[in-house]
Every structure is written in C-alpha cells, then in structure tokens.
Amino acid sequence: MTAPRSARSLQDLAALKKTLAKAAAEAARHEAQALADAAREQRERHLFAHTVGPVSPLRRIATMPLARPRVEPLPRQRERDEAAVLREAISDEFDVESLLETDDALSWRGDGIGPEVVRKLRRGVWAIQAQIDLHGLRRDEAREQLAEFLRAAVRHGLRCVRVVHGKGHGSPGREPVLKSKVKTWLVQKSEVIAFAHARAADGGNGALLVLLKPTGPQPTPKAEAARTRRPVRVD
C-alpha cells in the first residue's frame, strides 16, 4: 500500500532539514577552527615581537659585482716549441776540444772576450748567483736541464752560475762522462761568453763557473762581488 503524498513530503522535508543542519554544523566547526588558528598565529606574532623588540628594516646598499681576475692562458704550444728548439740547439757531436784553452785548468771564452775575463772568473770576481747539479742524470736529461737552467738564468738577469757535472768517480771506468759533454753544450749556447773550472772551494774539477751575457745595465764586477755569494735556485 503506497503512503499518502503528504506523508512522503513530510519525510523528505525532515531529511532535508537534517542535511542542512549537518552542513551548518560542519561550517561552524570549520569557522571555529579558522578563528582558533588565527588567534594562535596572532598570539605567536605578539610573542615574537615582545621577545625580539622593535625592529627596523635594513638599508639597501648598492652592490657592485666583483671583477674576476683574468686567468692568463698557458702557452703550452710555445713551451713545446721552445723545448724542441732546446733539444736541437746543442749537439753531442760538436768538437769542443780545439776551442778550449789548455793551461792549469781548461777554460773557454767566446769571440771578443779577453783572457782577463777568464782570470777574473776563476778568482771569483763575479759572485755565483745560481747553480745546477747534473749528478746522476742521463745525458739527454742533463742536456735539456742545463739548457733550461741557462735560459732561466738569463731571464732573471744573472751573470755568473755554477754547473756541477761531477768528477766521474761513480761512472764506469771512473771516466767523467758529463764533464766533457757539459763543455760541449756550453760552447754552443749563445748566452754563454766564458767558463772555467771552479776553485777548490767551489767544486774544483767537478764544476764549472759560467759567465753569461749581460741582459741590461750591469753593475761592475766589484759591485757584483759585494753581493751575497750564496747560490740561489732559478725557476
């Protein structure tokens, strides 16, 4: 038996009221939660302000970007070219014996250089400003390192350097292999104008004192002798 239309209408109305009441309660709950959250945030803001005290914004300061230092490119190719030139610039086959002056100690001086220069070199008039020790090096290593050392010495404006080649006591047959080679190489270098065996205090027959070309205005030999005699390393 179907319920009268009026009864169904009352039931639908009751269900609608119940739904609306539930929606109103949910909205009220959300509103209450929002009010509570706002109140809590306000309390926290007041607490922070009370704790920190009055503040003022920082002044804006104009900033300028820092200029990055320019990194100079390394001339790798030029270094390789120069190394190749160094290898080719001095030869092991060059005959130096005919150019050496034979006296109490072998010496050599370039064209236009008087014998007095060699005598002063032996007496230590020029201070030894740098040295290289070729002990224990193979021939090719010694040749390249000597060439690079001389080039660096000239670049630094040095005049007098010492080249230690050893006396050959540790070589096969006790023959000073590097001793003759070093003289051969030095004669072929344009920056070398003279060399002589060092005094006993400076290495004797195991070392050579080498005089280099001046690269600019130079002090007198006496002024050079007044400088420190401690050899320095040339990089």
Side-chain angles (χ1 to χ4, degrees), residues 160-182:
C160 183
V161 298
R162 177 168 54 198
V163 178
V164 180
H165 49 63
K167 298 180 181 180
H169 293 166
S171 303
R174 302 177 67 85
E175 289 294 330
V177 178
L178 281 182
K179 182 176 181 180
S180 60
K181 293 299 181 184
V182 167

Side-chain angles (χ1 to χ4, degrees), residues 97 100-108 122 179 183 195-197 208:
E97 297 300 325
L100 297 177
E101 295 185 2
T102 305
D103 45 19
D104 56 334
L106 292 179
S107 63
W108 175 85
R122 287 175 178 160
K179 182 176 181 180
K183 293 174 181 176
F195 64 75
H197 277 306
L208 291 173

Side-chain angles (χ1 to χ4, degrees), residues 92-103:
D92 293 339
E93 306 304 323
F94 187 83
D95 181 13
V96 69
E97 297 300 325
S98 61
L99 302 178
L100 297 177
E101 295 185 2
T102 305
D103 45 19

Side-chain angles (χ1 to χ4, degrees), residues 133-166:
D133 191 343
L134 303 177
H135 271 110
L137 297 180
R138 295 193 299 269
R139 183 179 61 185
D140 291 344
E141 293 175 332
R143 181 176 63 242
E144 292 182 10
Q145 291 196 22
L146 176 62
E148 174 59 27
F149 170 77
L150 294 175
R151 187 175 60 161
V154 171
R155 187 167 62 245
H156 285 78
L158 305 186
R159 289 298 315 278
C160 183
V161 298
R162 177 168 54 198
V163 178
V164 180
H165 49 63

Side-chain angles (χ1 to χ4, degrees), residues 108-127:
W108 175 85
R109 53 191 173 91
D111 294 338
I113 305 299
E116 181 64 21
V117 172
V118 175
R119 287 194 289 269
K120 289 181 178 179
L121 188 59
R122 287 175 178 160
R123 292 201 307 266
V125 172
W126 284 279

Side-chain angles (χ1 to χ4, degrees), residues 68-76 78-79:
R68 294 185 179 182
R70 181 181 178 185
V71 179
E72 295 294 334
L74 295 176
R76 297 296 188 190
R78 188 181 69 185
E79 292 176 355

